[in-house]
Amino acid sequence: MYREFYGFTEKPFSKTPDPRYLYLSRGHREALARLKYVLEEKEFAILTGEIGCGKTTISRALMDTMGESYRFCFVLNPRLTPMEFLRTVARSLCCDLPATSKEDLLQEMTDSLYRLHCEGLSPVLVIDEAQLIPDRDVYDEIRLLTNFQLDDRNLLSVILMGQPELRTILAAPQYEPFRQRVAINYHLKPLTLEETQEYLDFRMEIAGGYPGLFTPDAVQKIYEFSGGVPRMINLVATNALLEGFGREQSFIDAELVESLRSELIHS
Ligand SMILES: Nc1ncnc2c1ncn2[C@@H]1O[C@H](COP(=O)(O)OP(=O)(O)OP(=O)(O)O)[C@@H](O)[C@H]1O
Ligand SMILES: [Mg+2]
């Protein structure tokens, strides 16, 4: 196996989310800092980014860093009707069996938000893949959730994350009331070439290997193939390690990465 061949104790570019492998590029660090602020101030934020850039990873990192006093509610697939959406949020905030009428449901949620507040807990609603929200009514419900207040302070922080098309959707005039409530609007970009190098070395070191296994020219090629998108970097790097093992090559050079072009780039 390539793992033993290159001296890794674990797979360096595995898909399994693991906080030890979290690499903080400038963009990831800034996104995290802004989201922390949003949680502290109980605000409303939108995080967009290209596919595979690390949005979901950041939401997990945020939960890991915020400590016990925050109660996270994740909506991972928001392809829901407004009622399904509210019931999903209610279930994760408080009630195992949320009410079926909207009026009762909203009352239950108000009560739970107030109760959490009294217990010193700050609820956080994270809606991932928000570009999949099917209709405007769900956005209206989200907007209304940000209205729950006590003494002029919100009772709930809301983070909406999604692919770049989320921005296009929300740019339409009918979303003006929604947009006005957004305190932080951050777009996560792919890694730069230098960050790609650091990312590769960082993950290899955590996995027990040595940095510098990829030559600078190889890193340049990985950057070219992946566009600096972490999920794509993982894919190219894993394929390069497999190929290197097959060739019994102790370093991964540009020629080896180039030989994967037809396998990895389909367009
Ligand atoms: N900062 C990071 N540190 C370590 N690994 C990362 C980081 N960002 C992304 N990754 C890796 O890239 C992969 C894709 O990240 P993630 O799923 O968070 O992207 P996403 O932006 O949510 O993608 P999608 O748009 O498809 O939902 C993850 O499996 C993770 O291993
Ligand atoms: Mg994601």
Side-chain angles (χ1 to χ4, degrees):
M1 242 302 262
Y2 79 84
R3 231 175 56 188
E4 289 79 27
F5 184 74
Y6 289 114
F8 297 124
T9 49
E10 305 167 6
K11 289 184 186 149
F13 302 105
S14 153
K15 277 188 207 136
T16 324
D18 183 337
R20 289 178 307 134
Y21 283 90
L22 179 71
Y23 164 75
L24 290 176
S25 69
R26 183 157 168 265
H28 287 102
R29 197 175 307 117
E30 288 193 2
L32 257 182
R34 282 170 169 77
L35 295 182
K36 272 187 198 164
Y37 163 83
V38 161
L39 265 49
E40 281 155 11
E41 296 300 318
K42 298 220 173 48
E43 286 283 7
F44 179 20
I46 296 184
L47 175 70
T48 50
E50 301 297 330
I51 303 170
C53 268
K55 303 178 292 294
T56 303
T57 304
I58 283 181
S59 67
R60 301 287 158 179
L62 185 69
M63 188 172 75
D64 293 342
T65 55
M66 289 312 284
E68 301 273 292
S69 62
Y70 289 84
R71 166 81 64 86
F72 278 75
C73 158
F74 286 95
V75 178
L76 300 177
N77 180 1
R79 264 187 238 253
L80 301 167
T81 64
M83 269 309 274
E84 285 167 348
F85 170 77
L86 285 176
R87 295 188 90 223
T88 305
V89 177
R91 213 174 291 122
S92 115
L93 275 180
C94 52
C95 349
D96 291 337
L97 266 181
T100 43
S101 89
K102 187 160 173 188
E103 205 186 344
D104 292 346
L105 191 54
L106 288 175
Q107 189 56 53
E108 275 178 4
M109 287 169 79
T110 313
D111 293 347
S112 328
L113 288 174
Y114 182 66
R115 202 172 50 243
L116 288 170
H117 171 79
C118 293
E119 289 167 8
L121 292 170
S122 301
V124 182
L125 172 61
V126 180
I127 304 162
D128 204 351
E129 306 277 11
Q131 77 282 351
L132 298 177
I133 293 175
D135 69 62
R136 196 183 147 188
D137 294 346
V138 176
Y139 286 104
D140 279 337
E141 298 305 343
I142 297 170
R143 183 167 59 83
L144 296 175
L145 287 182
T146 66
N147 282 354
F148 284 124
Q149 283 192 332
L150 187 76
D151 304 333
D152 270 355
R153 270 185 68 83
N154 292 346
L155 289 173
L156 176 70
S157 316
V158 179
I159 302 174
L160 210 59
M161 332 193 138
Q163 293 172 7
E165 61 189 281
L166 178 61
R167 282 175 177 266
T168 320
I169 296 168
L170 295 177
Q174 68 266 31
Y175 291 110
E176 173 67 16
F178 190 86
R179 285 199 304 272
Q180 280 195 4
R181 282 174 170 75
V182 179
I184 296 283
N185 209 326
Y186 192 78
H187 185 74
L188 189 61
K189 293 202 184 108
L191 306 186
T192 62
L193 172 62
E194 290 70 32
E195 288 170 339
T196 302
Q197 165 94 65
E198 279 179 22
Y199 176 85
L200 288 163
D201 283 345
F202 172 77
R203 291 193 71 128
M204 287 194 292
E205 261 190 292
I206 300 292
Y210 52 96
L213 175 58
F214 295 92
T215 67
D217 285 359
V219 175
Q220 174 80 48
K221 274 269 170 246
I222 293 175
Y223 178 66
E224 183 196 321
F225 284 12
S226 63
V229 171
R231 185 182 290 130
M232 295 304 294
I233 299 176
N234 290 350
L235 178 77
V236 180
T238 300
N239 276 272
L241 290 171
L242 286 164
E243 178 66 18
F245 169 58
R247 296 185 186 188
E248 296 190 20
Q249 210 172 295
S250 53
F251 285 95
I252 308 291
D253 58 19
E255 186 276 316
L256 185 150
V257 181
E258 177 59 35
S259 75
L260 301 169
R261 182 182 285 272
S262 60
E263 263 175 69
L264 296 174
I265 301 182
H266 303 291
S267 52

